[in-house]
Amino acid sequence: MSVRPRIYARPLLAAIASVAVLAGTAAAAPAPTAPTASAALDDTYYQAALGKTGAALESALHTIISDQTRLSYSQVWDALKDTDEDPANSSNVILLYTGRSQSKNENGGDADQWNREHVWAKSHGDFGTATGPGTDIHHLRPEDVSVNSTRGNKDFDNGGSQLGEAPGNYTDSDSFEPRDAVKGDVARMILYMAVRYEGDDSFADLEPNENVNNGSAPYIGRLSVLKQWSQEDPPDSFEQRRNDVIFDRYQHNRNPFIDHPEWVEAIW
């Protein structure tokens, strides 16, 4: 697999913040957690997870986020029009990989329309569009029909050839690399799915691993790359709002790695 140099917009800010902390000026550094991970959430929603690491933390989070309302696959259409609304144009949604703002009403299966992208490819564990992982909007996002098809069920990794229709995204025979602005989003969606679906609710136990070309096995790689993406592309206001909307209006559960990005390293 070819590997291209990676340039990120936000790592420099993170580096500056780290230097500030080491220099004893921690007050100038950004908080390590997203604004939505407030004391109120920690005192209520995440209370059972606080102070834990490793398998204990993963188990606690699984119990917490498994308490959710499940949507039908048809309900996902309307939910995505809300969760992924363009903050600059309430008539549009933002497509995950292309970054294009497109009318909410231009959804379907035709060329240049948008459809429902399963970030954890539904063939990885063979759950299809069944109510549960197949309809969990924490990993379902609007995407251009043909770009969605190009991604297919490929694992995530760095490298490949740039997509003409979606500059900034790269792909080869066995992997897909999303644009820099959503690398962390993709990583946190994958890791949410791994914690939420542990094989105790009639679906496969979903797990990240270090492989690509996982096929129909309930795995997606590469974990080391996903961890790097999560660190280099921290949660932004769009991702945080999306988490809040899913919690408040639809599934009533949260993606803990948006609220507490540091839990990625604490578990993996």
Side-chain angles (χ1 to χ4, degrees):
M1 172 185 297
S2 62
V3 177
R4 65 182 190 84
R6 298 184 301 282
I7 300 174
Y8 295 88
R10 282 176 274 187
L12 179 58
L13 295 177
I16 292 171
S18 298
V19 171
V21 172
L22 291 173
T25 57
T33 59
T36 49
S38 63
L41 278 173
D42 283 351
D43 289 344
T44 55
Y45 191 72
Y46 291 123
Q47 187 177 45
L50 298 182
K52 295 180 170 67
T53 61
L57 174 58
E58 184 174 8
S59 177
L61 291 177
H62 171 70
T63 299
I64 292 167
I65 66 179
S66 293
D67 183 8
Q68 71 180 95
T69 299
R70 298 186 179 190
L71 306 182
S72 69
Y73 199 45
S74 61
Q75 288 175 317
V76 168
W77 284 121
D78 288 334
L80 295 185
K81 293 176 183 180
D82 191 5
T83 60
D84 291 72
E85 181 176 287
D86 183 348
N89 184 346
S90 62
S91 297
N92 287 10
V93 291
I94 299 294
L95 308 190
L96 177 63
Y97 301 132
T98 65
R100 186 170 76 236
S101 178
Q102 186 159 347
S103 171
K104 292 178 178 179
N105 297 325
E106 293 177 354
N107 60 300
D110 296 334
D112 296 325
Q113 290 185 317
W114 64 268
N115 61 3
R116 296 158 292 186
E117 153 73 338
H118 290 78
V119 177
W120 185 292
K122 58 184 181 287
S123 64
H124 289 234
D126 195 29
F127 52 76
T129 58
T131 299
T135 64
D136 193 319
I137 54 176
H138 275 297
H139 85 115
L140 280 157
R141 300 290 292 266
E143 187 46 62
D144 177 89
V145 169
S146 57
V147 174
N148 191 347
S149 178
T150 297
R151 188 266 159 140
N153 69 345
K154 294 175 182 175
D155 294 81
F156 292 103
D157 198 1
N158 294 310
S161 301
Q162 185 165 213
L163 275 66
E165 191 174 3
N169 298 268
Y170 296 78
T171 192
D172 57 21
S173 62
D174 57 16
S175 70
F176 189 87
E177 177 185 350
R179 60 192 176 99
D180 290 349
V182 297
K183 280 182 163 68
D185 306 51
V186 166
R188 287 180 285 274
M189 285 186 279
I190 292 296
L191 299 178
Y192 160 86
M193 292 292 284
V195 171
R196 169 60 187 88
Y197 298 99
E198 294 279 17
D200 56 2
D201 54 2
S202 77
F203 297 106
D205 180 5
L206 307 182
E207 294 294 339
N209 66 12
E210 278 301 311
N211 301 324
V212 292
N213 203 18
N214 276 296
S216 61
Y219 310 120
I220 280 186
R222 299 184 186 267
L223 176 58
S224 58
V225 172
L226 294 170
K227 289 173 61 178
Q228 178 187 18
W229 289 354
S230 182
Q231 183 177 33
E232 293 177 328
D233 175 37
D236 59 19
S237 59
F238 187 92
E239 192 179 2
Q240 291 161 353
R241 175 194 175 274
R242 190 174 196 279
N243 200 24
D244 289 339
V245 170
I246 293 172
F247 180 62
D248 293 336
R249 304 176 192 172
Y250 295 99
Q251 295 186 176
H252 311 299
N253 71 339
R254 303 185 68 83
N255 182 332
F257 304 113
I258 297 173
D259 295 326
H260 281 281
E262 73 278 10
W263 280 345
V264 172
E265 192 65 36
I267 293 175
W268 290 282

